[in-house]
Amino acid sequence: MQTARLDLCVLSEDDIDAWADFLGDPEATRLLHTPEPVRDRERALAGLQRWIEMIEGPIGMYSVTVGEPGETVGFVGFVPRDHPWGKELELGWLIRRRFWGNGYATEAARALKPLVPGRFVSMIRVENEASANVSRKLGMTVEREVAYQGFRTQVWTTQTSASRASVSPFFSDPAEYCG
């Protein structure tokens, strides 16, 4: 999948260098719901493998690359979540710090948005204004505020809770999701 500036490809173990770089950066992880940096490469690889196992059709995390030779700026994608109010698909983004402020999260998330034409959410800590801005640019609004993994969190959504996500049947093989 491609945008004007970016290539998106389903997450794979080939992404370990950029994944470990992101997870090991305390500034990049400080506003996540698991803010402690992961500096052990084996733990980072185990986490990456868990994310890869969750991929189902278009639902999963994508690596986002820019320019030549295709440097990975971060990761954007959907993950299924069980919340007290029900099952949701969450759209999230993890951008490596040196690529912040270039609009890459918005551009990549906008490219993936049509894969889930129904409702999805983004769980964003209240102090994370940069991610809130991405959600606004995607046309999402705050539905509620909750305590999530010990943090005040806004539930940003594409639609009201009356509708539930349905996955677009555009693709059937995750290998089709590489630019």
Side-chain angles (χ1 to χ4, degrees), residues 43-104:
R43 275 188 58 213
L45 178 59
L48 176 65
Q49 290 167 335
R50 283 191 301 275
W51 280 91
I52 292 168
E53 289 170 9
M54 288 191 283
I55 296 169
E56 187 174 321
I59 305 305
M61 192 62 78
Y62 293 72
S63 63
V64 180
T65 59
V66 65
E68 293 299 325
E71 189 165 6
T72 302
V73 301
F75 309 93
V76 176
F78 292 100
V79 62
R81 299 277 191 206
D82 288 323
H83 291 291
W85 60 88
K87 294 181 184 289
E88 297 275 15
L89 284 178
E90 179 180 354
L91 176 61
W93 40 88
L94 308 167
I95 304 298
R96 296 166 69 195
R97 185 166 28 135
R98 64 190 169 120
F99 297 104
W100 287 358
N102 292 296
Y104 296 139

Side-chain angles (χ1 to χ4, degrees), residues 2-159:
Q2 293 182 314
T3 70
R5 302 181 297 166
L6 305 172
D7 288 320
L8 286 79
C9 186
V10 170
L11 196 62
S12 75
E13 287 189 22
D14 293 341
D15 295 310
I16 185 58
D17 291 337
W19 185 263
D21 178 64
F22 175 83
L23 289 180
D25 182 346
E27 182 61 19
T29 61
R30 74 181 174 82
L31 293 175
L32 297 180
H33 288 95
T34 52
E36 288 299 316
V38 176
R39 296 201 169 116
D40 175 39
R41 189 174 175 87
E42 291 304 311
R43 275 188 58 213
L45 178 59
L48 176 65
Q49 290 167 335
R50 283 191 301 275
W51 280 91
I52 292 168
E53 289 170 9
M54 288 191 283
I55 296 169
E56 187 174 321
I59 305 305
M61 192 62 78
Y62 293 72
S63 63
V64 180
T65 59
V66 65
E68 293 299 325
E71 189 165 6
T72 302
V73 301
F75 309 93
V76 176
F78 292 100
V79 62
R81 299 277 191 206
D82 288 323
H83 291 291
W85 60 88
K87 294 181 184 289
E88 297 275 15
L89 284 178
E90 179 180 354
L91 176 61
W93 40 88
L94 308 167
I95 304 298
R96 296 166 69 195
R97 185 166 28 135
R98 64 190 169 120
F99 297 104
W100 287 358
N102 292 296
Y104 296 139
T106 303
E107 187 173 334
R110 197 172 276 144
L112 294 179
K113 197 175 165 188
L115 298 178
V116 179
R119 173 188 167 91
F120 60 83
V121 301
S122 291
M123 305 293 291
I124 299 174
R125 287 177 47 183
V126 295
E127 64 271 32
N128 190 343
E129 193 56 36
S131 283
N133 284 334
V134 171
S135 291
R136 280 186 201 95
K137 291 174 187 173
L138 295 174
M140 300 174 79
T141 57
V142 176
E143 179 181 83
R144 67 182 97 176
E145 187 174 304
V146 297
Y148 182 65
Q149 295 184 357
F151 298 98
R152 286 182 52 219
T153 300
Q154 292 175 327
V155 180
W156 289 77
T157 184
T158 53
Q159 299 180 6

